[in-house]
Amino acid sequence: MQDRNRPRRGATSGQNGTSGPTGRTGPGADTRGPDVPGPRSRRADRSGPGPGRSRRAAGSGSGRGRRPKARMTRRGRILAWTGGVLGVLLLITAGVGGWIYFKLDGNIHGADVGSRLGGDRPANLSPGSKNILVVGSDSRAGANAKYGKNLDTMQSDTLMVLHIAANREWATAVSFPRDSWVSIPSCDSGNGHKSKPHHFKINEAFTIGGESGDVASAAACTIKTVEKNTGLRIDHFVSVDFQGFKGMVNALGGIKVCPKTAIHDKKAHLDMEAGCQEVSDEKALGYVRTRYSVGDGSDLGRIGRQQEFMKALGEKAQSKLTSPGALYDFLDSATKSITTDNELAGVKPLSELASTVKDIPSDRLTFLTVPNYPREADVPTDKANVIWQYPQAGNLFSDLAHDKEVSKDKLAAEAKKLVTARSVKVRVLNGTGTPGYAAGAAADLRKMGFSVVSTGNAAPGAKETAITYPASMEAQAKVLSARLAGVKTEKASDASAAGTDVVTLTVGEGFTTTG
């Protein structure tokens, strides 16, 4: 993600009056919904045809030219699932009048994210490919205040990475449950303070970075967290606000949903009977946000409902957006809901991005959720969060980092081979020569759910932190190494001292479980 020497698009810190403490709580806390900057004034007084629009969309700068009808393709319907962003932009590329181009372009907010990321980032292992972080967000300010008690911080709800292959022949979208328990690095909160590295649910990163109400800092902390835990280099950032999403639904006259059971969710302000029905406005917003009153109450179930809802939205957009008025209302709401990094801030760069994937065959557009399991399996007291499943998640991230197409069926088959942290037996050795290092590391590992079977001192000269394992314990070693990013892992030449079912962690100077 590169900084560009041009005026910033979007809001500065605290524009929406959302400064204040994070209000973080323990596992299971509801932490959703960022503030979205106010509209830009740039280009507001300009008129005339905009760059990048199709020839058949040409019209006078006054907007008197005939606005053509536009039709969303199947690719657009599928891409609409990522929050409606790329599907919407495919509609834009079908052509609109010049004055509408500038109006829509002025709706999109930009954030100076690149300068906040620092230099300690994953290498770009596949030049030409693109990793786009997409955040579904919801402010607690204004109309959204009723959805969160005593929450005045920026929050994120839906989180995914869209990987676009360098050859533009395939793409994969990976969803991350908001309750994913991950390592969150030190982040700039936007008000001069820095957070300490720690473990918590992944959506807290947006809250930490956005303490001052600065969406750029919120995005930067989220990017740093995703990069640290996946090893993927994030190229762009797109945030889609749910209030804008509600406007998109209303412009279509509502969306048909078919809940199998009645839904009564006070947190989502939703009361619905079972059966097919049209939802719009607050009811539509409540439907995609409801969680605790449907199915098993997990975020995984909500991800599935959001996917189905966006699919239905795309299908209705295809059939209904045939009049200029309906098209404009839909695009106006969609573009108002978007905040991007500065490099993507505008209809033209977003449209160009969309055009690179619009011809990808539908059977090579893959949507999946990072392999995971309930953290309760490792930490019995935590009944609210999930932990990513290794080595499957690591293999997924490695494939994407190297621009290798992922087989959803293969990933699902591999995910059945679950190795929990609690099932991994670990021997911890002190390689520092300083008393207490092994005991401290063992305590940290036990908190993470690992079964520490013994501690002791490493052989002289073993000062580097490393994981060694017998040949039969490679999967277990990968589970441990995934929790300790950057630790060298190798097969042991002689595992007899530890046992054939034990993985050895030798702790060196500077060892930490948070990083």
Side-chain angles (χ1 to χ4, degrees), residues 43-254:
R43 296 184 177 179
D45 60 344
R46 297 174 64 179
S47 61
R53 63 191 182 89
S54 64
R55 184 173 298 175
R56 67 187 184 90
S60 69
S62 65
R64 294 175 183 172
R66 180 177 178 271
R67 285 177 282 175
K69 298 180 179 181
R71 184 178 186 273
M72 183 181 281
T73 65
R74 172 172 170 78
R75 312 305 192 271
R77 295 200 304 276
I78 295 172
L79 291 169
W81 178 86
T82 66
V85 179
L86 296 182
V88 165
L89 295 168
L90 287 174
L91 282 171
I92 293 174
T93 58
V96 292
W99 70 275
I100 298 178
Y101 173 94
F102 285 112
K103 174 64 169 65
L104 297 176
D105 191 59
N107 285 344
I108 300 171
H109 314 294
D112 181 14
V113 179
S115 63
R116 292 165 166 79
L117 295 177
D120 184 20
R121 303 183 63 194
N124 182 358
L125 300 179
S126 56
S129 67
K130 296 290 184 183
N131 289 316
I132 304 164
L133 182 66
V134 182
V135 175
S137 59
D138 201 355
S139 169
R140 294 293 190 232
N144 281 352
K146 62 185 178 182
Y147 290 109
K149 184 178 180 181
N150 298 326
L151 289 176
D152 58 359
T153 56
M154 303 180 73
Q155 313 289 329
S156 67
D157 190 60
T158 304
L159 185 67
M160 72 177 67
V161 169
L162 175 65
H163 177 88
I164 303 172
N167 62 12
R168 303 304 188 255
E169 293 180 359
W170 60 273
T172 297
V174 181
S175 291
F176 303 110
R178 65 195 277 285
D179 296 334
S180 297
W181 191 263
V182 298
S183 177
I184 299 180
S186 175
C187 289
D188 187 342
S189 62
N191 56 11
H193 298 142
K194 277 189 172 294
S195 64
K196 293 182 178 180
H198 63 288
H199 286 88
F200 206 74
K201 57 181 64 190
I202 195 169
N203 71 327
E204 193 205 30
F206 204 85
T207 301
I208 292 173
E211 281 187 5
S212 67
D214 182 7
V215 69
S217 293
C221 190
T222 303
I223 290 171
K224 289 174 69 174
T225 299
V226 170
E227 289 189 341
K228 176 178 178 59
N229 288 275
T230 67
L232 295 172
R233 174 89 175 203
I234 301 300
D235 300 293
H236 296 294
F237 168 83
V238 177
S239 175
V240 183
D241 177 63
F242 269 129
Q243 284 298 319
F245 155 82
K246 185 174 67 175
M248 293 163 61
V249 173
N250 290 348
L252 295 174

Side-chain angles (χ1 to χ4, degrees), residues 263-342:
I263 304 173
H264 304 290
D265 189 338
K266 292 182 179 179
K267 290 187 176 182
H269 295 262
L270 181 65
D271 285 293
M272 292 180 65
E273 298 303 321
C276 295
Q277 56 203 280
E278 293 277 336
V279 294
S280 59
D281 206 60
E282 296 296 327
K283 203 167 187 177
L285 187 55
Y287 183 79
V288 297
R289 298 176 59 177
T290 188
R291 170 182 178 182
Y292 299 104
S293 300
V294 186
D296 61 2
S298 72
D299 193 46
L300 301 177
R302 178 167 56 182
I303 288 174
R305 285 189 296 278
Q306 290 175 347
Q307 292 175 3
E308 289 299 318
F309 193 94
M310 292 311 298
K311 178 182 177 182
L313 184 147
E315 290 173 348
K316 188 162 187 179
Q318 178 196 23
S319 62
K320 187 174 178 65
L321 295 182
T322 56
S323 71
L327 174 60
Y328 176 77
D329 289 343
F330 183 82
L331 295 180
D332 188 47
S333 293
T335 51
K336 282 179 179 176
S337 73
I338 297 173
T339 300
T340 75
D341 58 274
N342 274 348

Side-chain angles (χ1 to χ4, degrees), residues 441-452:
D444 287 342
L445 292 181
R446 288 189 180 104
K447 289 179 182 178
M448 299 168 71
F450 290 98
S451 298
V452 179

